[in-house]
Amino acid sequence: MSDVISREQAFINARRVLDLARERRDRDRAAGRLDPAAELILRRIERRQAAERATQTASAPLRSAA
């Protein structure tokens, strides 16, 4: 008989695995062990996310005033 896990538990498990992978990546990055190409990709993603956050923050007062 196969065990069935709930959707919520599946998400919890996936989140845990992703968090562990992210922590390892961050440790490798801090120690300078990350491939230069991967570092470049991460920097581009971080810049894009920062720009998106800035756009959301700038448009937040407009949404609340409506």
Side-chain angles (χ1 to χ4, degrees), residues 18-29:
L18 288 173
D19 287 343
L20 289 171
R22 205 172 278 124
E23 287 174 13
R24 179 177 177 193
R25 180 208 59 208
D26 292 344
R27 281 193 310 270
D28 287 349
R29 188 177 187 187

Side-chain angles (χ1 to χ4, degrees), residues 51-66:
E52 289 171 359
R53 278 192 303 273
T55 301
Q56 290 171 354
T57 303
S59 66
L62 298 175
R63 279 191 235 133
S64 62

